[in-house]
Amino acid sequence: VRGAVLMPESRMLAESSAFEESVLGERAVLGTRAVLPPGIRVWPEKRVPDGMKLERNLVWGEVKREQFQGDELCLERLEDCPGAIRAYVRAGGPRSVLLSCERAAMAEVWLQAVRAALMSCGVQVVLCGGGLLPQTRFTQRAVGAQGGCFVSPGRLRFLDEDGIELGQGVRRAIEGYLQRDGAAQLPRRVCRRAVSIHGANLYYLGIYRELRLEREKQVAVCASDEGLLELAESACRQCGCLTRAEWEEELMDLGPDETGVWLSEDGASCRLAGAEGGLSEAEQELILDW
């Protein structure tokens, strides 16, 4: 304890620390190895989790840890981005990162926060704008970036050098840094200007120019997102298909020689059918494997 105020019946557990002008309220608990930085205050009867460095006053509710839910790191506030990015750079060590986001104005706001944090860590940022997760994976591998980050409001999806989600060990390391010292500054490095990739859609679709079919196929594509629908329609036409694009499920009545493609909202999966009906689950998995 250094220059801190401890109110009656408050408790500091083993190896915890409280610094100048911080306050631990009545019956509040500072967990094992937890840290109360200068000027931070904990209201009565609150508990700071073990190993956490509290970055703001704890007044209402419980402390929400920044942690992975599925493949995404969930953040409560925009201001949490710098600490999350520093933890990612510490744990993964990428020197270059491809950065992309959902097609939404608020996602672009979060992307700018992530971009600034990466640049402050000395990471070379490559921007490919708003898009889709599969497109981000492909572009990252194509440009040789050592890492990737797909940004949604309040959620960051980190990718390794192969465009695949981070392994469990790296995720645990990121969560550990966030709990202990997520806001700690990394050593000073050279700040590199971000590089933008123009015409990413054309680049992404270039591979299909070599996949001309032996005979023309008829395809109907359905997607709820305008950008995704345009991308899919362009891909099918470059393959040599007669293509119609539909917004609504009701318009997807298939003709006798027509193949139907229903794309998921994020463009990461699809459902296929012909005029006689949809594929079985086993057939669908076989198609995806091919």
Side-chain angles (χ1 to χ4, degrees):
V1 183
R2 181 184 298 159
V5 177
L6 307 182
M7 300 300 287
E9 299 184 56
S10 61
R11 290 190 297 145
M12 294 177 61
L13 304 186
E15 300 181 48
S16 61
S17 306
F19 293 96
E20 292 84 354
E21 298 183 10
S22 63
V23 179
L24 194 60
E26 293 183 12
R27 296 178 297 283
V29 178
L30 190 60
T32 302
R33 295 184 305 281
V35 177
L36 206 55
I40 299 297
R41 304 177 181 186
V42 178
W43 258 239
E45 301 182 359
K46 301 299 178 184
R47 181 186 179 100
V48 179
D50 295 346
M52 173 167 283
K53 182 178 180 181
L54 196 63
E55 296 295 335
R56 55 185 181 272
N57 293 342
L58 177 54
V59 182
W60 304 107
E62 301 298 327
V63 177
K64 290 186 178 180
R65 297 174 182 265
E66 292 92 350
Q67 60 184 355
F68 283 91
Q69 295 183 7
D71 294 320
E72 297 176 318
L73 180 65
C74 296
L75 305 179
E76 186 179 355
R77 309 175 306 160
L78 189 64
E79 293 85 344
D80 296 330
C81 280
I85 293 302
R86 285 192 288 269
Y88 163 58
V89 175
R90 281 172 178 262
R95 293 190 296 273
S96 59
V97 172
L98 184 85
L99 194 55
S100 183
C101 69
E102 292 181 351
R103 293 190 185 94
M106 185 52 66
E108 293 182 7
V109 173
W110 281 78
L111 181 138
Q112 294 303 326
V114 172
R115 170 185 174 177
L118 284 168
M119 291 176 66
S120 72
C121 294
V123 175
Q124 175 66 67
V125 176
V126 183
L127 298 168
C128 67
L132 303 165
L133 180 58
Q135 185 177 2
T136 302
R137 298 185 199 277
F138 176 89
T139 308
Q140 181 197 325
R141 292 194 297 270
V143 302
Q146 294 182 342
C149 183
F150 187 76
V151 180
S152 306
R155 294 174 286 128
L156 306 180
R157 183 185 290 260
F158 297 115
L159 307 175
D160 66 12
E161 60 185 4
D162 295 318
I164 301 171
E165 279 71 16
L166 300 178
Q168 192 64 36
V170 180
R171 294 187 197 183
R172 283 197 296 265
I174 291 173
E175 291 178 341
Y177 283 128
L178 285 170
Q179 291 171 22
R180 296 193 302 274
D181 57 353
Q185 295 291 337
L186 290 174
R188 287 183 176 272
R189 303 184 182 185
V190 175
C191 184
R192 299 175 174 84
R193 290 183 179 274
V195 176
S196 296
I197 297 177
H198 300 287
N201 283 359
L202 297 176
Y203 189 59
Y204 182 50
L205 293 175
I207 189 173
Y208 296 113
R209 293 172 186 158
E210 307 299 325
L211 300 178
R212 305 298 297 184
L213 303 175
E214 293 182 5
R215 64 186 182 88
E216 206 166 53
K217 302 286 186 181
Q218 298 181 43
V219 178
V221 182
C222 182
S224 59
D225 179 83
E226 180 181 2
L228 174 59
L229 190 60
E230 290 178 357
L231 199 64
E233 185 178 10
S234 178
C236 290
R237 285 179 176 168
Q238 289 201 50
C239 288
C241 298
L242 281 173
T243 308
R244 66 180 175 97
E246 303 292 357
W247 289 91
E248 300 177 3
E249 188 93 16
E250 293 77 12
L251 301 176
M252 286 291 286
D253 289 335
L254 301 178
D257 297 321
E258 201 169 34
T259 299
V261 182
W262 288 262
L263 293 165
S264 63
E265 188 174 353
D266 60 0
S269 61
C270 67
R271 180 165 51 89
L272 304 172
E276 297 179 356
L279 298 180
S280 68
E281 184 177 351
E283 290 171 329
Q284 179 83 13
E285 290 178 356
L286 185 58
I287 288 285
L288 293 176
D289 184 52
W290 284 341

